[in-house]
């Protein structure tokens, strides 16, 4: 089958122009559905980590409990940083729909700054816990806590790196179809991480401090 | 691209602002419940926190992720429904099984005392 394809097209392993065979349904490139399925599989990863925390989260092994460790006011600030970044990413997508490259870049930079603020607060929290001796090795509660919250933080870090790369691509090549598609994928990823964070602060922080 | 096509996938300023306003309300209430120590009954407080969290997830899905039956001929919603089904099985199953295991395999302090008294 590979030998049948023309040799000069071998380097182009992807479809450059989306086929528009049906005018009514061809509004979203197939990449968006594929990326959505990836997000759903990521959702299952987080689901397993949530289940692990729900099962192990009360096993303190005579170590510190959530009420001893967590600073809810700081978590509220981090939550709002992530929520603001979600909305500003929405504004970037809206500017992109109007073909406004400068506006898109501006709102993406604002999004990145809010994301960085969230990551800074998370880094502060983790290093604070580490200095207290509340490491993943201390108890099953802390193992599952660092696993769940750390995985979310890693995702936000990966999203931020992606955002920086996208800013460079946008400023060099403008709002090309490929860049538009990338912005839409990262937009889904970013909103998805904000959605996961709702579960994190509800289960880990608020419920943890209450019980 | 025509206008209705943009609205289907990308939302509008109005949808983002409505979603943001609802999210702020649904975030502030559970934090206020905990920080202000409003509800004495902890079980009810936890129920409130998860109800509001679930409501905010629905707000995000509708206003930010723009999940809709119209996108990709319904496959987006289909894959999400399958994921939610798997999540419910994994979460409810794990919590249920492990709670029973804890109940039956880890004797509570008073039961140990009772067993000692019988000897």
């Amino acid at each position: 089958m590979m030998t049948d394809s023309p040799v000069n097209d071998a380097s182009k392993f992807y479809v450059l122009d989306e086929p528009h065979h049906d005018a009514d349904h061809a509004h979203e490139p197939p990449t968006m559905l594929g990326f959505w399925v990836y997000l759903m599989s990521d959702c299952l990863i987080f689901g397993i980590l949530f289940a692990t925390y729900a099962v192990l989260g009360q096993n303190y092994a005579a170590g510190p409990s959530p009420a001893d460790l967590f600073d809810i006011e700081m978590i509220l600030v981090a939550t709002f940083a992530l929520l603001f970044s979600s909305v500003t990413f929405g504004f970037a997508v809206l500017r992109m729909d109007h073909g406004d490259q400068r506006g898109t870049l501006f709102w993406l930079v604002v999004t990145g700054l809010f994301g960085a603020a969230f990551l800074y607060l998370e880094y502060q929290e983790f290093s604070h816990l580490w200095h207290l001796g509340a490491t993943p090795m201390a108890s099953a509660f802390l193992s599952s806590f660092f696993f769940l919250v750390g995985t979310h933080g890693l995702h936000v870090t990966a999203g931020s790196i992606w955002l920086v790369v996208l800013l460079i691509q946008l400023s060099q090549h403008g709002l090309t179809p490929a860049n538009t598609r990338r912005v839409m994928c990262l937009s889904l990823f970013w909103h998805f991480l904000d959605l996961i964070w709702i579960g994190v602060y509800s289960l880990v922080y608020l419920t943890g401090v209450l019980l | 691209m025509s206008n209705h096509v943009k609205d289907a996938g990308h939302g509008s300023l109005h949808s983002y602002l409505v979603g943001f306003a609802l999210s702020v309300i649904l975030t502030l209430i559970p934090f206020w419940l905990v920080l202000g120590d409003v509800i004495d009954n902890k079980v009810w407080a936890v129920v409130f926190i998860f109800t509001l969290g679930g409501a905010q997830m629905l707000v995000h899905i509708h206003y930010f992720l723009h999940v809709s039956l119209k996108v990709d001929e319904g496959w987006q919603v289909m894959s999400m429904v399958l994921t939610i089904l798997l999540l419910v099985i994994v979460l409810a199953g794990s919590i249920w099984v492990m709670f029973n295991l804890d109940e039956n395999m880890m004797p509570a302090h008073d039961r140990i005392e009772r067993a000692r008294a019988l000897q």
Side-chain angles (χ1 to χ4, degrees), chain B residues 16 24 30 35 43 53 59 66 77:
Chain B
Y16 280 112
V24 168
L35 285 171
V43 176
V59 166
H66 310 296
V77 173

Short mmCIF file of all heavy atoms in Angstrom, two decimals, chain B residues 16 24 30 35 43 53 59 66 77:
data_model
loop_
_atom_site.label_atom_id
_atom_site.label_comp_id
_atom_site.label_asym_id
_atom_site.label_seq_id
_atom_site.Cartn_x
_atom_site.Cartn_y
_atom_site.Cartn_z
N TYR B 16 -19.17 33.44 27.29
CA TYR B 16 -18.03 33.40 28.22
C TYR B 16 -18.31 34.21 29.47
O TYR B 16 -17.96 33.80 30.59
CB TYR B 16 -16.76 33.93 27.53
CG TYR B 16 -16.10 32.90 26.65
CD1 TYR B 16 -16.09 33.05 25.27
CD2 TYR B 16 -15.50 31.78 27.19
CE1 TYR B 16 -15.50 32.11 24.45
CE2 TYR B 16 -14.90 30.82 26.39
CZ TYR B 16 -14.91 30.99 25.02
OH TYR B 16 -14.33 30.06 24.23
N VAL B 24 -17.98 32.12 39.13
CA VAL B 24 -17.57 32.88 40.32
C VAL B 24 -18.53 32.59 41.48
O VAL B 24 -18.09 32.31 42.60
CB VAL B 24 -17.55 34.40 40.00
CG1 VAL B 24 -17.41 35.21 41.27
CG2 VAL B 24 -16.41 34.72 39.04
N PRO B 30 -19.01 27.43 47.95
CA PRO B 30 -18.38 26.36 48.74
C PRO B 30 -17.19 26.84 49.58
O PRO B 30 -17.02 26.37 50.71
CB PRO B 30 -17.93 25.35 47.68
CG PRO B 30 -17.95 26.06 46.39
CD PRO B 30 -19.00 27.11 46.51
N LEU B 35 -14.73 28.38 54.83
CA LEU B 35 -13.98 29.43 55.52
C LEU B 35 -14.82 30.07 56.63
O LEU B 35 -14.30 30.40 57.70
CB LEU B 35 -13.52 30.50 54.53
CG LEU B 35 -12.35 30.11 53.63
CD1 LEU B 35 -12.13 31.16 52.55
CD2 LEU B 35 -11.09 29.91 54.45
N VAL B 43 -21.80 16.43 57.08
CA VAL B 43 -22.24 15.64 55.92
C VAL B 43 -22.98 16.53 54.93
O VAL B 43 -22.75 16.48 53.72
CB VAL B 43 -23.15 14.48 56.40
CG1 VAL B 43 -23.70 13.71 55.20
CG2 VAL B 43 -22.36 13.54 57.31
N GLY B 53 -19.96 21.92 43.09
CA GLY B 53 -18.85 21.57 42.20
C GLY B 53 -19.36 20.93 40.91
O GLY B 53 -18.92 21.28 39.81
N VAL B 59 -21.51 23.98 34.06
CA VAL B 59 -21.36 25.34 33.51
C VAL B 59 -20.14 25.39 32.58
O VAL B 59 -20.21 25.91 31.46
CB VAL B 59 -21.22 26.37 34.65
CG1 VAL B 59 -20.75 27.70 34.12
CG2 VAL B 59 -22.56 26.54 35.36
N HIS B 66 -18.10 24.30 25.25
CA HIS B 66 -19.10 24.33 24.17
C HIS B 66 -19.44 22.94 23.66
O HIS B 66 -19.51 22.72 22.45
CB HIS B 66 -18.62 25.21 23.00
CG HIS B 66 -18.15 26.55 23.43
ND1 HIS B 66 -18.96 27.47 24.01
CD2 HIS B 66 -16.92 27.11 23.40
CE1 HIS B 66 -18.27 28.56 24.30
NE2 HIS B 66 -17.03 28.37 23.95
N VAL B 77 -20.47 14.33 22.28
CA VAL B 77 -21.30 14.02 23.44
C VAL B 77 -21.23 12.52 23.75
O VAL B 77 -21.14 12.12 24.91
CB VAL B 77 -22.75 14.48 23.20
CG1 VAL B 77 -23.66 14.01 24.31
CG2 VAL B 77 -22.81 15.98 23.06
#
